[in-house]
Amino acid sequence: MESPMRVCVATCNRADYSKLAPIMLGLRDDPAFRLQVIVMGCHLIDDYGSTYRMIEQDDIDIDSMLHTIVRGEDEAAMVESVGLSLVKLPDVLLRLKPHILVVHGDRFDALSIATAASLMNIRILHVEGGEVSGTIDDSIRHSITKLSHYHACCTDRARQRLLAMCEDNERILLAGCTSYDKLLSANLKNYQHILDRWFGGGVSTKDYIIALQHPVTTDIKNSLKMFELTIEALLEFGKKVLMIYPNVDAGSKEMTRIIRRKGIEQNAQFRPVKHVPFEEFIVLVAHCGCMIGNSSAGVREAGAFGTPVINLGSRQTGRETGENVMHCRDADTKEKILRALQLQYKQQFPSSFIYGDGNAVTRILNFLKEIDISEPIQKQFIFPPISDSISQDIDHILEIQSALAVDLGGTNLRVAIVSKAGKIIDISSKLTPDTNEARLETLLVMLEEALKNASSRNCKILGVGVSTGGRVDPHEGVVMHSTKALDGWSKVDLRTPISNRLHLPVWVDNDGNCAALGERKFGDGKGVNDFLAVATGTGIGGGLVLNGRLVHGSHFCAAELGHIAVSLDGPECMCGSRGCVEAYSSGLALMREAKKLHAAGQLLVNGMTINSDEDISAKHLIQAAELGNMEAKRIISIGGQALGTAMVSMLHMLNPSVIILCGIFGGIFYESALDTIKSKALTSVKAVDLKVSKLQEPALLGAASLVLEYATRRLY
């Protein structure tokens, strides 16, 4: 008779035990297996309920208990806990000698288990891989996936992600969620004694809320703020609340302090608890009026009962959900959370069974029985077909990856070679022709010359990025329409003729958007999630980045700052309207005012001369202001005030953390724009960081980034 397969299950906390317990019980009762159990992590900490007792109550023998949590509940403590686990696990695994180790999910404890087993040549079955939740858990989960040899996933989307991560389809089981095996067979009719046990009586079905919120380790500060706002909203909502303490992640200690500071432990409205056994937790979820927080239980288990859920923040972003889940991703005010409670409380939704059908354990046990432990343990990845590598010579190695960048403005047409590092290697410039045909032909000739020049400079051109005035459809590479600054520049396909002539991929976008992209990749917008770039030049443009992504708008007209009206009866704008920012602050507007002053004999001051054949332009107005011309100073100040007024509107609507003034007039408008923000903006947005761009050519660099971002498979 063959000896049973030794299957070791490692459990770290109350949450993973609820998923692993059905597997452990199945392994225990099946003679084909010998169950081995390692208990570690939060199970052994009194503050988190000493939940190892649940395992003992389930009549499961524990082979080893490892104290692996370094207290501190911060990032450093998490890392130290992983290190402590890696120190202690090898001795246990050497003693147990499992054929297969079962690990669950995405916790840092699970990563240490998978790492130890992988380095000790122990086969790993990963349960619930391939999912997406939107936090550091994703990185940990996918890391465990790469260390694991076999996978039991819950949904078909998770299976497809595992395949996309080059996992072998033969080693992936679509099992469903093991907790559904228990919750779909639970006795939900006999519930009142459970409600009485946790609330002390006086609460019936649908009369209470379950709150379960964990820290987000990649954004602890905001998750703490959101937790405090949640408590304030629950206090005002006035219903009974079963509040379950957070897990051991970095930030949990601060969450506990918030609970105590708010007096929740002494408040009769709340019942704060460290742990609820899963069998009773199921019943409580099925009969609550609403569940609020960011636990996966709200996204997964609650759906089976149609229980209304409010999912707060980013922690479960990406999870598949039923219609019972209302997302409140930007839970930044008490009123927003309170409104969500008003909408969801006591609603009833259809049950959804996205995560399982109640047969996961049977599938997993059969899957384990089919594993041949005599096969070589070396894991094989299933990569997509790729071409064979080619030999390289020194010239190829030394090539500089670069882009051809175009800045097509109302005054000048410029083409540059820009390296991947953002260095402008070469630049050429010509006046922008008056007709579309001449503009396009001039551009093509300049690009061909730049391409030849790139070859002589050992630059490998990856593509062409075009920054142009006007409304642009970046998906099609077409200028839809423009203002009079580029008269007639409408319905112009730039991508096709450039691509046909140069045989290179081409990307096109609006000049304001390109300025924002240049700042995001090379300037003051680097690493900033939310910022506004203001492009000053012949016209006034803008580019808006929210959550790290450029916003185009439904008709590619987002962030058109130049055409925000700041006066009802101001000067006529090139767009045909009146009182737009561009009518006060653009190069054309300053030139108009300079000509008026010159005609009235009020422009020239001591130290300033203008040749008779010289056209009056904005630079003369600036020069006059610098030399003490008070009227010129007033006009420039008004331009800055108009720009600042438009910025105030953007701050009130979108609340970016940074505004970057780009282009030739950024510096001269800075002071008056800043003063306007300070005098007109609401107090909460006055702290915006207004900067003058350090980039000499933000639009050109942004046009280059269109190419360079795509070349590295990033979406802009």
Side-chain angles (χ1 to χ4, degrees), residues 320-339:
E320 299 170 60
T321 67
E323 60 182 283
N324 62 309
V325 178
M326 173 181 286
H327 292 285
C328 189
R329 293 185 176 89
D330 294 321
D332 50 1
T333 65
K334 178 189 70 174
E335 289 72 24
K336 194 180 292 186
I337 299 170
L338 190 60
R339 180 58 177 156

Side-chain angles (χ1 to χ4, degrees), residues 320-391:
E320 299 170 60
T321 67
E323 60 182 283
N324 62 309
V325 178
M326 173 181 286
H327 292 285
C328 189
R329 293 185 176 89
D330 294 321
D332 50 1
T333 65
K334 178 189 70 174
E335 289 72 24
K336 194 180 292 186
I337 299 170
L338 190 60
R339 180 58 177 156
L341 284 165
Q342 293 165 349
L343 291 171
Q344 287 288 84
Y345 184 64
K346 287 193 174 183
Q347 295 296 314
Q348 185 60 46
F349 296 92
S351 298
S352 62
F353 304 101
I354 297 169
Y355 288 96
D357 60 2
N359 298 300
V361 173
T362 301
R363 295 189 184 105
I364 290 172
L365 296 184
N366 290 334
F367 185 62
L368 285 168
K369 290 174 182 177
E370 294 172 0
I371 294 174
D372 184 355
I373 59 175
S374 66
E375 286 184 349
I377 194 171
Q378 178 59 52
K379 178 176 177 176
Q380 301 295 321
F381 296 102
I382 311 301
F383 294 106
I386 54 176
S387 58
D388 293 334
S389 61
I390 58 171
S391 59

Side-chain angles (χ1 to χ4, degrees), residues 560-666:
E560 278 298 337
L561 193 76
H563 299 289
I564 292 178
V566 293
S567 172
L568 295 178
D569 57 354
E572 186 176 359
C573 179
M574 297 291 282
C575 69
S577 184
R578 286 189 171 275
C580 298
V581 174
E582 201 164 280
Y584 293 98
S585 313
S586 66
L588 291 175
L590 298 182
M591 180 179 70
R592 179 195 66 222
E593 296 302 316
K595 287 181 176 180
K596 287 182 180 178
L597 288 182
H598 189 59
Q602 298 176 358
L603 180 62
L604 294 179
V605 293
N606 290 335
M608 180 179 177
T609 59
I610 299 177
N611 296 328
S612 58
D613 58 346
E614 190 175 356
D615 290 332
I616 303 298
S617 67
K619 72 176 183 180
H620 296 113
L621 187 74
I622 296 169
Q623 183 184 7
E626 290 173 346
L627 292 173
N629 187 320
M630 298 307 295
E631 185 60 21
K633 285 183 177 181
R634 186 188 68 82
I635 292 168
I636 291 172
S637 176
I638 290 172
Q641 291 171 38
L643 200 59
T645 301
M647 291 179 194
V648 169
S649 296
M650 298 295 277
L651 284 168
H652 290 167
M653 286 189 292
L654 302 165
N655 194 21
S657 60
V658 176
I659 298 178
I660 306 167
L661 286 169
C662 309
I664 57 175
F665 303 125

